[in-house]
Amino acid sequence: MTTLEGTVERITFFNEENSYAVAKVRLSSGELVTVTGELPHLYIGEKLRLTGQWVVHKEYGKQFQVQTRESEIPTTEKGIERFLASGFVKGVRAATAKKLVSRFGLSTLDVIENDPELVAEIPGISLAKAKKIAENVRAYSDIQRIIVFLQGIGIGPGYAMKIYKRYQSEAVKLVRENPYRLADEIIGIGFKKADQIAQNLGIKPDSPYRIRAALRYLMNELCNEGHIFVDEQTLIDAAVKELAVDSSPVATEIETLIVEKELIRESKEGRPILYLAPFYYCEIGVAARLAEMAQAQLKPVKIDTAKALEQFSAEHQIQLASNQREAVLKSMDNALMVITGGPGTGKTTIIKSILSLLKKAGLRVALAAPTGRAAKRLAEATGEAAQTIHRLLGFGSEKAEGGRFQHDESEPLDKDVLIVDEFSMVDLMLFYHLLKALAPGTRLIMVGDVDQLPSVGPGTVLRDLIASGQITAVRLNVIFRQSQESMIIENAHRINRGEFPQLVKSTDFFFMSEEKPENIIKLLPDLISRRIPGYLHCDPVEDIQVLAPMRRTLTGVDNLNLVLQEALNPKRPEIPELRHGAQVFRLGDKVMQIKNNYQKLVFNGDIGRIRELEPEEQRLVVGFQEVEGERLVEYEEDELDQLVLSYAISVHKSQGNEYPVVVMPVTTQHFLMLQRNLLYTAVTRAKKMVVLIGTKKAIAIAVNNNRIEERNSFLQKRLRNAFQGKSE
């Protein structure tokens, strides 16, 4: 291993995603050399001590390939200025750095760290900003130590800032003691990276810490696929393959996790199955709560419901189909009610009818939906207040309200009836929290489309409720006259029946034949930025949503977002932007939250617009639409991983939302994901227009593939047992 010392003169190339850099370094001998490697926070004028080896690149010649790096705190005025202006010290740019060094000279760093009040005397720097700059400068030496440590155990320094922010000066000690904690506590470091660190630290392959971390990882991976439990032998086999160890220590650590109540073992058809504890208690709890609610005494509806429904229908000139009328009347008589149906079958009309009767009977009713957009749509359709389920249950910020649901068994909702729309989006854990907040005697009416894709979160709640046969359910199957005129609705039902959609000329459903994915990519920008907005007089960003079956491939979500961002919000000098990893965010961009953030009250799949963006602070503000209007949510640098561009999103993430226009590439590139309920879900997201671009062959593959996504759930059987009074 060779060691070099020198000063950075030029940064030829830098990749934000992995911190790989190519730079020119002037050695103390005066020689200018090329160095390459993972070099985050590199800046011109930085003094480096590098270890590595010389290599000869076939195209670029002799280079020094860096293995480890140490940086020196600058000791000259020019060096200090360059360091402060490098971008590493958030809140300081070139002009500010120049002012600081001009005022304090060689003492600049010492003044920043110890006397921020003096720094605040400089125009444009508040005391709060001066203190923040001081924090970042103090962090520098700690982060350099962490970088050296991480490099020494085989992981790049790109995660140093995240690790430092989490553990502060304890970082090296805690990582050395148990590197597997990184998988649970540092975004971006999963089990595999933590395992690499552990191996380099000399942790044995059959270490109990390693096996338990792998079991947690594998269980969470399965839950992320929607499963509630996993076959125990399947988990053992997966762990043996992942870890390259014998099954005996894996089985031992499963027993340890069971004793520690992290895992729960049950039996299904004579085979042992395993739950993560929260999922087990949710599944048990949902069945028990529903059985209890079904037996509870209801507050009577003291009106002639049949007569009141006739009056409502006459007043609003509505002709209800027989199963619509059945759904409304049964909602009055049952504690639990499921109403399911496709587009155009009158689900909204039924909700309005039910509301009318309940209000006439003097019952207190709450309306809710899983997402802000769905709640807003429900409020607009009914003229009544509606909330997200999280808002209804009183979930607030951790500081203000304890970071939990405020309504539960000890403080139930003060309502006689709860109506939940878009219920297909509700996963098992959210449903359990909802049921805990309903007092016995509260009616629960669940409205949704069981033929859509299952919820993004674990479980198949709506499907299981209906299939259990224990809860009163009405399926709406009559398409009303005004809906029959919509080719969107006609084709949605054709797809759901396994029939090829009609691709004849219409005003709201279009098919554009294009076999080559690269031609679709060329066509989309003009279609979305000019042609559709010109035809419908709509906003290309707010009103048009591109959906795709997959993330990868040329016509997948990731690439489509790059193409559409360039078309709809291109790079311009007057538009601020910031880069975070591989992503570039610009003011005005359409973005989506990709994980639940209970403190900010934004959830996986929520879409908003970037309303403020400060590149210097690596901070942005996103506006999310809610019932009350737009709510602004602030994101700091270490929270930007929770956002992605959303000019294009997956069909799964579109659930529960409606858009004026849906555009969807349908190509055989997406073969693995082409299935009937996926295409059906995509089409039913559109209100005014659907545009499918691709091939009839790909559409036919989807229509003919009626494979339902199977998820491991025991809820159906638990419901039957609970309703029949059988103990678990």
Short mmCIF file of all heavy atoms in Angstrom, two decimals, residues 443-489:
data_model
loop_
_atom_site.label_atom_id
_atom_site.label_comp_id
_atom_site.label_asym_id
_atom_site.label_seq_id
_atom_site.Cartn_x
_atom_site.Cartn_y
_atom_site.Cartn_z
N ARG A 443 -71.46 1.85 14.32
CA ARG A 443 -71.58 1.20 13.01
C ARG A 443 -70.34 1.53 12.17
O ARG A 443 -69.87 2.67 12.17
CB ARG A 443 -72.82 1.68 12.26
CG ARG A 443 -74.14 1.22 12.84
CD ARG A 443 -75.29 1.89 12.11
NE ARG A 443 -76.59 1.32 12.43
CZ ARG A 443 -77.31 1.65 13.51
NH1 ARG A 443 -76.83 2.55 14.36
NH2 ARG A 443 -78.48 1.10 13.73
N LEU A 444 -69.83 0.53 11.44
CA LEU A 444 -68.70 0.73 10.53
C LEU A 444 -69.11 0.31 9.12
O LEU A 444 -69.46 -0.85 8.89
CB LEU A 444 -67.49 -0.08 10.99
CG LEU A 444 -66.27 -0.05 10.06
CD1 LEU A 444 -65.74 1.37 9.89
CD2 LEU A 444 -65.17 -0.98 10.58
N ILE A 445 -69.09 1.28 8.20
CA ILE A 445 -69.47 1.02 6.81
C ILE A 445 -68.22 1.20 5.95
O ILE A 445 -67.62 2.28 5.93
CB ILE A 445 -70.58 1.98 6.35
CG1 ILE A 445 -71.82 1.80 7.25
CG2 ILE A 445 -70.94 1.76 4.89
CD1 ILE A 445 -72.86 2.90 7.08
N MET A 446 -67.82 0.14 5.26
CA MET A 446 -66.58 0.13 4.48
C MET A 446 -66.91 0.07 3.00
O MET A 446 -67.58 -0.88 2.55
CB MET A 446 -65.72 -1.06 4.90
CG MET A 446 -65.29 -1.00 6.36
SD MET A 446 -64.86 -2.62 7.07
CE MET A 446 -66.48 -3.30 7.47
N VAL A 447 -66.46 1.06 2.24
CA VAL A 447 -66.79 1.17 0.81
C VAL A 447 -65.50 1.11 0.00
O VAL A 447 -64.55 1.86 0.27
CB VAL A 447 -67.52 2.50 0.53
CG1 VAL A 447 -67.94 2.56 -0.94
CG2 VAL A 447 -68.73 2.66 1.44
N GLY A 448 -65.45 0.22 -0.98
CA GLY A 448 -64.24 0.11 -1.80
C GLY A 448 -64.44 -0.84 -2.95
O GLY A 448 -65.51 -1.44 -3.11
N ASP A 449 -63.39 -1.00 -3.74
CA ASP A 449 -63.44 -1.86 -4.93
C ASP A 449 -62.51 -3.04 -4.69
O ASP A 449 -61.29 -2.92 -4.78
CB ASP A 449 -62.99 -1.05 -6.15
CG ASP A 449 -63.16 -1.84 -7.46
OD1 ASP A 449 -63.38 -3.06 -7.39
OD2 ASP A 449 -63.04 -1.22 -8.53
N VAL A 450 -63.08 -4.21 -4.40
CA VAL A 450 -62.28 -5.38 -4.05
C VAL A 450 -61.49 -5.91 -5.24
O VAL A 450 -60.53 -6.68 -5.07
CB VAL A 450 -63.19 -6.49 -3.46
CG1 VAL A 450 -64.03 -7.13 -4.57
CG2 VAL A 450 -62.37 -7.53 -2.70
N ASP A 451 -61.84 -5.50 -6.45
CA ASP A 451 -61.13 -6.00 -7.64
C ASP A 451 -59.86 -5.21 -7.94
O ASP A 451 -59.11 -5.57 -8.84
CB ASP A 451 -62.06 -5.95 -8.85
CG ASP A 451 -63.22 -6.93 -8.71
OD1 ASP A 451 -62.97 -8.05 -8.23
OD2 ASP A 451 -64.36 -6.56 -9.04
N GLN A 452 -59.62 -4.14 -7.21
CA GLN A 452 -58.37 -3.40 -7.38
C GLN A 452 -57.21 -4.17 -6.75
O GLN A 452 -57.39 -5.17 -6.06
CB GLN A 452 -58.47 -2.02 -6.74
CG GLN A 452 -59.36 -1.05 -7.49
CD GLN A 452 -59.33 0.33 -6.85
OE1 GLN A 452 -58.36 0.71 -6.22
NE2 GLN A 452 -60.41 1.07 -7.01
N LEU A 453 -56.01 -3.66 -6.98
CA LEU A 453 -54.83 -4.22 -6.33
C LEU A 453 -54.99 -4.13 -4.81
O LEU A 453 -55.66 -3.24 -4.31
CB LEU A 453 -53.58 -3.45 -6.75
CG LEU A 453 -53.14 -3.60 -8.21
CD1 LEU A 453 -52.09 -2.55 -8.53
CD2 LEU A 453 -52.62 -4.99 -8.48
N PRO A 454 -54.38 -5.05 -4.07
CA PRO A 454 -54.46 -4.96 -2.61
C PRO A 454 -53.68 -3.75 -2.10
O PRO A 454 -52.93 -3.10 -2.84
CB PRO A 454 -53.81 -6.28 -2.14
CG PRO A 454 -52.93 -6.69 -3.27
CD PRO A 454 -53.61 -6.22 -4.52
N SER A 455 -53.83 -3.46 -0.83
CA SER A 455 -53.18 -2.31 -0.21
C SER A 455 -51.66 -2.37 -0.38
O SER A 455 -51.08 -3.45 -0.51
CB SER A 455 -53.53 -2.26 1.28
OG SER A 455 -53.11 -3.46 1.92
N VAL A 456 -51.03 -1.20 -0.34
CA VAL A 456 -49.57 -1.16 -0.40
C VAL A 456 -48.98 -1.82 0.84
O VAL A 456 -48.00 -2.56 0.77
CB VAL A 456 -49.07 0.30 -0.51
CG1 VAL A 456 -47.55 0.37 -0.43
CG2 VAL A 456 -49.55 0.92 -1.82
N GLY A 457 -49.61 -1.59 2.00
CA GLY A 457 -49.16 -2.21 3.24
C GLY A 457 -49.60 -3.65 3.35
O GLY A 457 -50.35 -4.17 2.50
N PRO A 458 -49.15 -4.37 4.37
CA PRO A 458 -49.41 -5.80 4.50
C PRO A 458 -50.88 -6.15 4.64
O PRO A 458 -51.67 -5.42 5.23
CB PRO A 458 -48.64 -6.18 5.77
CG PRO A 458 -47.62 -5.11 5.95
CD PRO A 458 -48.27 -3.87 5.43
N GLY A 459 -51.23 -7.32 4.09
CA GLY A 459 -52.57 -7.87 4.22
C GLY A 459 -53.44 -7.66 3.00
O GLY A 459 -53.08 -6.95 2.06
N THR A 460 -54.59 -8.33 3.01
CA THR A 460 -55.62 -8.18 1.98
C THR A 460 -56.95 -8.02 2.71
O THR A 460 -57.84 -8.86 2.62
CB THR A 460 -55.65 -9.41 1.04
OG1 THR A 460 -55.74 -10.59 1.86
CG2 THR A 460 -54.40 -9.50 0.20
N VAL A 461 -57.07 -6.94 3.44
CA VAL A 461 -58.16 -6.78 4.41
C VAL A 461 -59.53 -6.84 3.75
O VAL A 461 -60.40 -7.62 4.17
CB VAL A 461 -57.99 -5.47 5.20
CG1 VAL A 461 -59.21 -5.25 6.10
CG2 VAL A 461 -56.73 -5.51 6.04
N LEU A 462 -59.77 -6.03 2.73
CA LEU A 462 -61.11 -6.00 2.12
C LEU A 462 -61.47 -7.35 1.54
O LEU A 462 -62.59 -7.84 1.72
CB LEU A 462 -61.16 -4.91 1.04
CG LEU A 462 -62.51 -4.74 0.34
CD1 LEU A 462 -63.62 -4.44 1.33
CD2 LEU A 462 -62.43 -3.65 -0.72
N ARG A 463 -60.53 -7.96 0.85
CA ARG A 463 -60.78 -9.28 0.26
C ARG A 463 -61.09 -10.31 1.34
O ARG A 463 -62.01 -11.13 1.21
CB ARG A 463 -59.54 -9.71 -0.55
CG ARG A 463 -59.77 -10.93 -1.44
CD ARG A 463 -58.47 -11.38 -2.07
NE ARG A 463 -57.83 -10.30 -2.83
CZ ARG A 463 -56.57 -10.34 -3.26
NH1 ARG A 463 -55.80 -11.39 -2.97
NH2 ARG A 463 -56.07 -9.35 -3.95
N ASP A 464 -60.34 -10.27 2.46
CA ASP A 464 -60.56 -11.24 3.54
C ASP A 464 -61.89 -11.03 4.24
O ASP A 464 -62.56 -12.00 4.62
CB ASP A 464 -59.42 -11.14 4.56
CG ASP A 464 -58.11 -11.71 4.04
OD1 ASP A 464 -58.14 -12.47 3.06
OD2 ASP A 464 -57.05 -11.39 4.60
N LEU A 465 -62.28 -9.78 4.43
CA LEU A 465 -63.57 -9.51 5.08
C LEU A 465 -64.71 -10.11 4.27
O LEU A 465 -65.63 -10.74 4.83
CB LEU A 465 -63.78 -8.00 5.23
CG LEU A 465 -62.85 -7.24 6.18
CD1 LEU A 465 -63.23 -5.76 6.20
CD2 LEU A 465 -62.90 -7.82 7.58
N ILE A 466 -64.67 -9.92 2.96
CA ILE A 466 -65.75 -10.44 2.11
C ILE A 466 -65.69 -11.96 2.05
O ILE A 466 -66.71 -12.66 2.21
CB ILE A 466 -65.65 -9.84 0.70
CG1 ILE A 466 -65.89 -8.32 0.75
CG2 ILE A 466 -66.64 -10.50 -0.26
CD1 ILE A 466 -65.62 -7.60 -0.56
N ALA A 467 -64.48 -12.52 1.85
CA ALA A 467 -64.34 -13.97 1.68
C ALA A 467 -64.67 -14.74 2.96
O ALA A 467 -65.05 -15.91 2.89
CB ALA A 467 -62.92 -14.30 1.23
N SER A 468 -64.54 -14.10 4.11
CA SER A 468 -64.83 -14.80 5.37
C SER A 468 -66.30 -15.19 5.48
O SER A 468 -66.65 -16.15 6.18
CB SER A 468 -64.43 -13.94 6.56
OG SER A 468 -65.36 -12.87 6.74
N GLY A 469 -67.17 -14.43 4.82
CA GLY A 469 -68.60 -14.70 4.88
C GLY A 469 -69.25 -14.30 6.19
O GLY A 469 -70.43 -14.60 6.43
N GLN A 470 -68.52 -13.60 7.06
CA GLN A 470 -69.04 -13.25 8.38
C GLN A 470 -69.60 -11.84 8.45
O GLN A 470 -70.27 -11.48 9.42
CB GLN A 470 -67.92 -13.38 9.42
CG GLN A 470 -67.27 -14.74 9.47
CD GLN A 470 -68.28 -15.86 9.69
OE1 GLN A 470 -69.05 -15.82 10.66
NE2 GLN A 470 -68.29 -16.84 8.81
N ILE A 471 -69.32 -11.03 7.45
CA ILE A 471 -69.72 -9.63 7.47
C ILE A 471 -70.65 -9.35 6.31
O ILE A 471 -70.39 -9.78 5.17
CB ILE A 471 -68.47 -8.72 7.41
CG1 ILE A 471 -67.66 -8.91 8.70
CG2 ILE A 471 -68.84 -7.26 7.22
CD1 ILE A 471 -66.30 -8.30 8.68
N THR A 472 -71.74 -8.66 6.55
CA THR A 472 -72.70 -8.34 5.51
C THR A 472 -72.02 -7.55 4.40
O THR A 472 -71.36 -6.54 4.67
CB THR A 472 -73.87 -7.53 6.08
OG1 THR A 472 -74.47 -8.27 7.14
CG2 THR A 472 -74.90 -7.23 5.00
N ALA A 473 -72.13 -8.02 3.16
CA ALA A 473 -71.47 -7.37 2.03
C ALA A 473 -72.43 -7.32 0.85
O ALA A 473 -73.18 -8.27 0.59
CB ALA A 473 -70.20 -8.11 1.64
N VAL A 474 -72.42 -6.20 0.15
CA VAL A 474 -73.22 -6.04 -1.07
C VAL A 474 -72.29 -5.64 -2.20
O VAL A 474 -71.51 -4.70 -2.05
CB VAL A 474 -74.32 -4.98 -0.88
CG1 VAL A 474 -75.04 -4.72 -2.21
CG2 VAL A 474 -75.32 -5.42 0.18
N ARG A 475 -72.37 -6.39 -3.29
CA ARG A 475 -71.57 -6.05 -4.48
C ARG A 475 -72.47 -5.32 -5.48
O ARG A 475 -73.51 -5.84 -5.89
CB ARG A 475 -70.97 -7.30 -5.12
CG ARG A 475 -70.18 -6.99 -6.40
CD ARG A 475 -69.64 -8.26 -7.05
NE ARG A 475 -68.40 -8.70 -6.46
CZ ARG A 475 -67.19 -8.32 -6.86
NH1 ARG A 475 -67.08 -7.42 -7.84
NH2 ARG A 475 -66.11 -8.80 -6.29
N LEU A 476 -72.05 -4.13 -5.85
CA LEU A 476 -72.80 -3.34 -6.84
C LEU A 476 -72.37 -3.78 -8.24
O LEU A 476 -71.18 -3.86 -8.54
CB LEU A 476 -72.50 -1.85 -6.64
CG LEU A 476 -72.67 -1.31 -5.22
CD1 LEU A 476 -72.27 0.15 -5.15
CD2 LEU A 476 -74.11 -1.50 -4.74
N ASN A 477 -73.36 -4.03 -9.10
CA ASN A 477 -73.01 -4.54 -10.43
C ASN A 477 -73.78 -3.86 -11.56
O ASN A 477 -73.70 -4.29 -12.72
CB ASN A 477 -73.22 -6.06 -10.50
CG ASN A 477 -74.60 -6.47 -10.01
OD1 ASN A 477 -75.54 -5.67 -10.04
ND2 ASN A 477 -74.73 -7.71 -9.57
N VAL A 478 -74.53 -2.83 -11.23
CA VAL A 478 -75.29 -2.11 -12.26
C VAL A 478 -74.54 -0.83 -12.63
O VAL A 478 -74.25 -0.01 -11.76
CB VAL A 478 -76.71 -1.77 -11.79
CG1 VAL A 478 -77.45 -0.95 -12.84
CG2 VAL A 478 -77.48 -3.05 -11.47
N ILE A 479 -74.24 -0.67 -13.92
CA ILE A 479 -73.58 0.55 -14.39
C ILE A 479 -74.68 1.52 -14.84
O ILE A 479 -75.53 1.16 -15.67
CB ILE A 479 -72.62 0.26 -15.56
CG1 ILE A 479 -71.59 -0.79 -15.14
CG2 ILE A 479 -71.92 1.54 -16.00
CD1 ILE A 479 -70.70 -1.24 -16.28
N PHE A 480 -74.66 2.73 -14.33
CA PHE A 480 -75.74 3.67 -14.62
C PHE A 480 -75.56 4.37 -15.96
O PHE A 480 -74.45 4.45 -16.51
CB PHE A 480 -75.87 4.67 -13.46
CG PHE A 480 -76.43 4.00 -12.25
CD1 PHE A 480 -75.59 3.35 -11.35
CD2 PHE A 480 -77.80 3.95 -12.04
CE1 PHE A 480 -76.11 2.69 -10.25
CE2 PHE A 480 -78.32 3.29 -10.95
CZ PHE A 480 -77.48 2.66 -10.05
N ARG A 481 -76.68 4.88 -16.46
CA ARG A 481 -76.74 5.39 -17.83
C ARG A 481 -75.64 6.41 -18.12
O ARG A 481 -74.95 6.32 -19.12
CB ARG A 481 -78.11 6.00 -18.11
CG ARG A 481 -78.28 6.49 -19.53
CD ARG A 481 -79.68 7.01 -19.76
NE ARG A 481 -80.69 6.00 -19.48
CZ ARG A 481 -81.99 6.25 -19.43
NH1 ARG A 481 -82.45 7.47 -19.61
NH2 ARG A 481 -82.85 5.28 -19.18
N GLN A 482 -75.47 7.38 -17.21
CA GLN A 482 -74.46 8.41 -17.47
C GLN A 482 -73.06 7.80 -17.51
O GLN A 482 -72.19 8.27 -18.21
CB GLN A 482 -74.52 9.52 -16.42
CG GLN A 482 -74.23 9.09 -14.99
CD GLN A 482 -75.46 8.65 -14.25
OE1 GLN A 482 -76.41 8.18 -14.87
NE2 GLN A 482 -75.47 8.81 -12.93
N SER A 483 -72.87 6.72 -16.74
CA SER A 483 -71.57 6.06 -16.74
C SER A 483 -71.38 5.20 -17.97
O SER A 483 -70.25 4.97 -18.42
CB SER A 483 -71.42 5.20 -15.47
OG SER A 483 -71.47 6.01 -14.31
N GLN A 484 -72.49 4.69 -18.52
CA GLN A 484 -72.40 3.87 -19.73
C GLN A 484 -71.85 4.67 -20.90
O GLN A 484 -71.31 4.11 -21.84
CB GLN A 484 -73.77 3.29 -20.07
CG GLN A 484 -74.27 2.25 -19.08
CD GLN A 484 -75.69 1.82 -19.36
OE1 GLN A 484 -76.39 2.42 -20.20
NE2 GLN A 484 -76.15 0.79 -18.68
N GLU A 485 -71.99 5.98 -20.84
CA GLU A 485 -71.49 6.81 -21.92
C GLU A 485 -69.98 7.00 -21.86
O GLU A 485 -69.37 7.53 -22.78
CB GLU A 485 -72.19 8.18 -21.87
CG GLU A 485 -73.69 8.09 -22.05
CD GLU A 485 -74.39 9.40 -21.74
OE1 GLU A 485 -73.68 10.39 -21.41
OE2 GLU A 485 -75.63 9.45 -21.81
N SER A 486 -69.36 6.58 -20.77
CA SER A 486 -67.92 6.73 -20.59
C SER A 486 -67.21 5.46 -21.04
O SER A 486 -67.48 4.37 -20.52
CB SER A 486 -67.58 6.99 -19.12
OG SER A 486 -66.21 6.81 -18.88
N MET A 487 -66.32 5.59 -22.01
CA MET A 487 -65.56 4.43 -22.45
C MET A 487 -64.55 4.01 -21.38
O MET A 487 -64.14 2.85 -21.34
CB MET A 487 -64.84 4.74 -23.77
CG MET A 487 -64.27 3.51 -24.46
SD MET A 487 -65.52 2.25 -24.83
CE MET A 487 -66.41 3.04 -26.17
N ILE A 488 -64.15 4.94 -20.51
CA ILE A 488 -63.27 4.55 -19.40
C ILE A 488 -63.95 3.50 -18.55
O ILE A 488 -63.38 2.44 -18.25
CB ILE A 488 -62.91 5.78 -18.52
CG1 ILE A 488 -62.07 6.79 -19.31
CG2 ILE A 488 -62.15 5.34 -17.27
CD1 ILE A 488 -61.79 8.08 -18.55
N ILE A 489 -65.19 3.78 -18.15
CA ILE A 489 -65.92 2.85 -17.29
C ILE A 489 -66.26 1.56 -18.03
O ILE A 489 -66.12 0.46 -17.50
CB ILE A 489 -67.18 3.54 -16.73
CG1 ILE A 489 -66.75 4.63 -15.75
CG2 ILE A 489 -68.11 2.54 -16.06
CD1 ILE A 489 -67.87 5.49 -15.24
#
